[in-house]
Amino acid sequence: MSDIQQKIIQLREILRKHNHNYYVLDAATISDYEFDVLLKELESLEEQYPEFDDPNSPTQRVGGTITKNFKTVTHKNRMYSLANSYSKEDLQDWETRVKKGLGTDDIQYTCELKYDGASINLTYKKGQLVSAVTRGDGFQGDDATANVKTIRSIPLLLQNPLLENFEIRGEIILPLKGFNKMNEERIEDGFEVYSNPRNTASGSLKLQDSAAVAKRPLDCLLYQVVGDSKYETHSNTLEQARKSGFKVPVAIQVCNSLAEVLKFIDKWDVERHQLDYETDGVVIKVNSLAQQEELGYTAKAPRWAIAYKFKAEQAISKLLSIDYQVGRTGAITPVANLEPVQLAGTIVKRASLHNADQIEKLDIRINDTVFVEKGGEIIPKIVKVNFDKRPIDSKPVDYITHCPDCNTLLVRKEGDAKHYCQNTYGCPTQIKGRIEHFISRKAMNIDGLGGETIGLLFDAGLLNNYADLYELRVEQIIPLERMAEKSAQNIIEGVQESKKIPFEKVLYALGIRFVGETVAKKLARYFKTIEKLMASDFETLIAVDEIGDRIAQSIIDFSNDLLNIQLVDRLKSYGLQFEIDESQSTVQSAILQGKKLVVSGVFTKFSRNELKQSIEDNGGKVSSSISKNTDYLIAGDKMGPAKRTKAESLGVPIISEEEYITLILS
Ligand code: AMP
Ligand code: ZN
């Protein structure tokens, strides 16, 4: 084995280990930075020496594969449902059936939590992950391998495989912290929030771009090994799976009686609220694999297992009043004020009512007695009204017709779930919200300014839109509450500094509805200047990859608004970046459509990943090895001599980085 190959293998091993420490054991031993340095080193070696490619290398975690149509795959072993139970009596009945079926009382059970996500079947051959298929109808599912590979806690290569070839099943979940963070970002970008972690997890598996999946904080909890196990019990098999590197939750218990099972259930009915993921029950399984086989299956579910469903924890409260909140985009969200009540370990005083339809659907009225539940969302929800307790004089809720902030008539457009205040430039909450968005970290990242200061500046009449920021003077700020020379100076400096922020972030900062970070980046790269973007018609806009009708219309609305045009003009006059800096970015075109390119060596203008991205952005394909089908070899510094010889012998054109840039700009 060559030194290089050895180095590559060693790096992969080190990274795999750190991945496992971080994502499975939740006990990192190096910093994120150190990890990135190692990963970059491996990335660059792999690209320099594609002959040592490995589809299961840790570098594959970032995704990048596009799946247009997910292949249907027939499961080797059917993925059954589980029978449900809701009470102690149900479980006793099940135990009776099991005992009868086996003709013995000598039975051990395992208790596991029932993870609430999307089930997945992983196939490993010789320690390598070869496929990941969704449950589908139980007989056939979708091949989601490319997407699943991006989930860091799923091992791609096993150091000590528990069996040579096997299938293992688990649940792909979105931990609550990550889910809530995703929703906070959606609110910032003017999108409706995702309704719950389970649907979002299963929706993630259906995304076409695996790089988008890689950005979601998904996790996978394993619960069953399928195949000829050499271990006699389910619990042992899971233990071995854990040792092989899988994330098998520790809350698994072997029980020798139903009484112990019930104890487990009672314990987790309370403690589940401390978990960072949702669980809707406990799964009880016969532990002996031989006994499992003997019991077999009904038409739908194994006889050797049963799910016990927790009762959703509910509290009874009273609806005191409804507040209406105005968002940055003018969207109105009704929020219920409740009589404070204890629920799942916290005191609940407020619950989301989402929109007018929700209020109508629940038929909820002020002073109603209501049932409140807590799911994965940040704020609890009202699930139903106790109509028996409704006061006789109660009246249906009059949904507000005017903005609570500026008193403008609200509008609800077709297809929108919410009402909107359309007084975009006069509604204080919207004005302040837009400025706050503009200065936020992912946008203009203006130091020293926060929501509170924006409020003060607005109230003082110094700030009415984000362009006004650039006209602020130190002596105007100093007299404000809690301001001093130094803090005022900081604000001005932060504002000045923001003029260097690149176009794509400026575009995001403008706060155009539905133009989030990623969309802004796409648009900036495609149109290159704000003029071209704002002058584009609907057809031109939707022709851009990933830009749909809704986004296109929103951009057109923004661009046709005289006030926006003036704002952008002012921002331009202050020197903000409204053009893409060509030296820093790639260009989007179809110039490389159908072409295959190989990248080799080290480059000066691009990192390897940027170069690859650029090829894809221009319609080309990156392949790792040279063949007669290769259209170009882009040669950087330190390219291996073997590569050059091979390209030459196959007649593949070799071009430099500069020649590549000329090519895509032509
Ligand atoms: P159901 O969808 O209600 O029929 O329940 C069956 C599903 O529960 C299975 O397909 C699994 O995806 C899921 N599940 C979650 N946790 C477990 C577990 N610990 N053991 C078995 N199945 C589980
Ligand atoms: Zn308003």
Side-chain angles (χ1 to χ4, degrees):
M1 198 186 291
S2 73
D3 285 357
I4 295 294
Q5 190 178 10
Q6 222 153 18
K7 176 82 193 159
I8 289 177
I9 290 174
Q10 190 193 16
L11 273 170
R12 283 180 186 151
E13 254 167 42
I14 294 172
L15 284 161
R16 204 169 286 126
K17 207 163 185 145
H18 287 307
N19 234 326
H20 182 252
N21 287 345
Y22 189 92
Y23 291 101
V24 179
L25 304 180
D26 201 12
T29 52
I30 57 169
S31 68
D32 290 358
Y33 175 75
E34 287 165 307
F35 184 89
D36 281 348
V37 169
L38 291 170
L39 189 67
K40 287 231 167 69
E41 190 181 351
L42 175 60
E43 235 167 39
S44 106
L45 282 172
E46 284 184 351
E47 298 188 39
Q48 217 168 327
Y49 302 95
E51 57 270 40
F52 304 127
D53 258 6
D54 176 354
N56 282 336
S57 162
T59 53
Q60 300 300 305
R61 299 287 196 184
V62 294
T65 318
I66 305 286
T67 315
K68 284 272 186 252
N69 295 301
F70 291 92
K71 212 168 67 202
T72 307
V73 179
T74 303
H75 292 298
K76 215 165 111 204
N77 299 288
R78 182 174 157 194
M79 291 181 85
Y80 284 89
S81 264
L82 282 172
N84 282 323
S85 63
Y86 301 91
S87 65
K88 200 164 133 185
E89 290 70 37
D90 288 350
L91 285 177
Q92 277 160 348
D93 290 348
W94 175 70
E95 188 188 37
T96 308
R97 289 198 300 276
V98 167
K99 283 182 173 170
K100 200 167 151 217
L102 293 173
T104 171
D105 280 1
D106 188 12
I107 303 161
Q108 250 188 358
Y109 305 101
T110 54
C111 289
E112 289 158 57
L113 295 175
K114 188 167 192 287
Y115 322 115
D116 205 8
S119 27
I120 196 81
N121 188 68
L122 308 173
T123 303
Y124 285 82
K125 289 194 175 143
K126 298 201 161 64
Q128 301 259 4
L129 174 68
V130 294
S131 85
V133 181
T134 64
R135 174 161 126 182
D137 63 3
F139 296 97
Q140 291 186 322
D142 288 339
D143 183 343
T145 313
N147 284 346
V148 168
K149 273 192 181 178
T150 66
I151 302 173
R152 311 297 202 275
S153 60
I154 295 181
L156 301 178
L157 178 78
L158 304 170
Q159 294 304 325
N160 307 297
L162 63 154
L163 296 164
E164 175 154 271
N165 298 321
F166 64 97
E167 291 175 19
I168 185 162
R169 290 176 181 171
E171 200 80 358
I172 291 178
I173 58 153
L174 249 177
L176 296 175
K177 227 189 268 145
F179 173 75
N180 287 329
K181 187 154 168 275
M182 278 171 73
N183 266 346
E184 278 160 26
E185 285 169 11
R186 289 196 52 97
I187 293 170
E188 246 185 49
D189 295 345
F191 287 105
E192 289 265 324
V193 293
Y194 292 118
S195 69
N196 64 58
R198 186 201 333 116
N199 291 354
T200 314
S202 73
S204 301
L205 298 182
K206 300 190 185 96
L207 293 178
Q208 295 195 338
D209 181 0
S210 66
V213 185
K215 294 205 185 90
R216 297 193 172 182
L218 297 161
D219 205 343
C220 182
L221 307 177
L222 286 309
Y223 58 74
Q224 193 193 350
V225 176
V226 189
D228 292 328
S229 178
K230 52 187 181 203
Y231 313 101
E232 283 171 8
T233 60
H234 172 64
S235 54
N236 254 337
T237 319
L238 285 187
E239 184 59 39
Q240 291 308 318
R242 188 184 292 129
K243 283 191 186 143
S244 294
F246 290 100
K247 194 161 188 171
V248 177
V250 284
I252 294 178
Q253 194 178 311
V254 177
C255 298
N256 289 307
S257 68
L258 199 64
E260 283 178 33
V261 170
L262 294 171
K263 247 195 223 150
F264 181 93
I265 290 174
D266 285 343
K267 175 178 153 200
W268 282 103
D269 198 359
V270 178
E271 290 186 6
R272 67 189 159 116
H273 301 294
Q274 259 76 59
L275 292 169
D276 188 37
Y277 54 85
E278 289 198 300
T279 162
D280 54 348
V282 169
V283 184
I284 304 113
K285 298 172 185 169
V286 170
N287 196 24
S288 149
L289 296 181
Q291 287 183 336
Q292 284 190 3
E293 207 175 302
E294 209 178 324
L295 285 163
Y297 297 81
T298 69
K300 279 204 207 121
R303 290 201 185 85
W304 46 263
I306 192 161
Y308 174 88
K309 293 269 178 129
F310 291 129
K311 281 172 218 59
E313 194 158 332
Q314 282 190 345
I316 296 172
S317 178
K318 198 166 117 188
L319 177 65
L320 301 175
S321 62
I322 297 176
D323 279 346
Y324 296 88
Q325 295 178 341
V326 191
R328 160 172 74 85
T329 56
I332 306 292
T333 305
V335 178
N337 289 312
L338 303 166
E339 220 166 61
V341 62
Q342 184 87 24
L343 172 65
T346 54
I347 299 207
V348 171
K349 290 187 218 144
R350 284 154 85 74
S352 175
L353 286 166
H354 304 292
N355 51 48
D357 285 353
Q358 179 73 6
I359 292 178
E360 206 172 303
K361 207 168 95 197
L362 289 167
D363 181 20
I364 194 171
R365 301 179 181 186
I366 306 294
N367 287 329
D368 266 347
T369 299
V370 295
F371 295 96
V372 188
E373 263 182 27
K374 212 167 177 183
E377 302 85 51
I378 315 168
I379 122 165
K381 56 178 175 239
I382 296 175
V383 286
K384 63 177 189 262
V385 172
N386 184 346
F387 295 110
D388 297 340
K389 297 219 166 149
R390 172 167 284 176
I392 29 174
D393 59 347
S394 86
K395 288 189 205 66
V397 170
D398 282 325
Y399 201 80
I400 49 163
T401 50
H402 291 74
C403 175
D405 202 16
C406 71
N407 212 26
T408 306
L409 185 71
L410 298 178
V411 176
R412 181 173 171 189
K413 289 208 192 115
E414 215 186 300
D416 277 348
K418 295 193 177 205
H419 286 70
Y420 282 82
C421 163
Q422 292 193 311
N423 183 16
T424 316
Y425 302 104
C427 186
T429 314
Q430 290 187 59
I431 295 172
K432 285 183 273 183
R434 273 195 307 276
I435 302 173
E436 277 174 40
H437 170 78
F438 185 84
I439 62 163
S440 64
R441 198 176 44 80
K442 286 191 291 178
M444 302 306 282
N445 193 19
I446 299 182
D447 269 352
L449 261 180
E452 213 173 310
T453 316
I454 299 288
L456 290 174
L457 291 164
F458 175 82
D459 292 340
L462 294 169
L463 207 54
N464 209 39
N465 54 55
Y466 39 62
D468 292 346
L469 284 168
Y470 295 88
E471 307 225 349
L472 286 175
R473 280 174 286 115
V474 173
E475 64 271 22
Q476 291 177 310
I477 305 176
I478 294 175
L480 298 179
E481 221 180 298
R482 263 174 285 145
M483 281 293 162
E485 170 100 33
K486 182 89 178 72
S487 42
Q489 204 85 48
N490 275 348
I491 292 176
I492 301 297
E493 270 166 29
V495 168
Q496 291 307 317
E497 196 62 21
S498 76
K499 294 181 181 172
K500 295 186 197 141
I501 294 287
F503 177 36
E504 58 196 45
K505 295 209 169 172
V506 178
L507 185 54
Y508 169 68
L510 294 180
I512 305 172
R513 202 173 162 205
F514 306 129
V515 178
E517 245 187 315
T518 327
V519 170
K521 211 177 268 177
K522 283 240 146 99
L523 292 169
R525 282 188 187 174
Y526 189 92
F527 290 99
K528 300 192 192 81
T529 70
I530 192 87
E531 286 81 13
K532 284 213 191 95
L533 172 67
M534 288 177 74
S536 298
D537 58 13
F538 190 78
E539 270 63 44
T540 317
L541 285 164
I542 56 168
V544 183
D545 194 27
E546 280 179 46
I547 305 301
D549 294 5
R550 226 166 42 144
I551 301 176
Q553 194 52 53
S554 168
I555 294 167
I556 289 175
D557 293 346
F558 180 90
S559 311
N560 287 341
D561 192 319
L562 196 62
L563 282 163
N564 285 330
I565 298 172
Q566 284 171 353
L567 273 180
V568 169
D569 279 343
R570 276 180 65 197
L571 292 177
K572 265 192 227 164
S573 74
Y574 304 131
L576 271 69
Q577 306 295 315
F578 281 103
E579 271 180 33
I580 202 103
D581 183 351
E582 291 284 9
S583 70
Q584 302 219 351
S585 78
T586 55
V587 192
Q588 287 232 356
S589 76
I591 262 168
L592 300 175
Q593 200 73 52
K595 299 256 189 293
K596 288 201 176 68
L597 289 89
V598 173
V599 173
S600 182
V602 179
F603 300 90
T604 51
K605 292 215 168 56
F606 298 94
S607 75
R608 283 163 177 289
N609 269 343
E610 282 165 354
L611 185 52
K612 274 187 169 177
Q613 184 66 48
S614 159
I615 293 171
E616 282 167 10
D617 285 347
N618 287 287
K621 270 218 170 75
V622 183
S623 41
S624 49
S625 57
I626 301 170
S627 75
K628 61 178 190 316
N629 295 325
T630 308
D631 291 287
Y632 295 103
L633 165 65
I634 310 177
D637 249 10
K638 299 195 192 127
M639 181 176 80
K643 276 265 175 59
R644 183 173 291 277
T645 321
K646 186 160 185 198
E648 280 167 356
S649 72
L650 291 171
V652 173
I654 303 175
I655 59 172
S656 68
E657 187 178 8
E658 285 72 28
E659 285 169 314
Y660 168 77
I661 293 172
T662 319
L663 182 72
I664 55 169
L665 292 177
S666 64

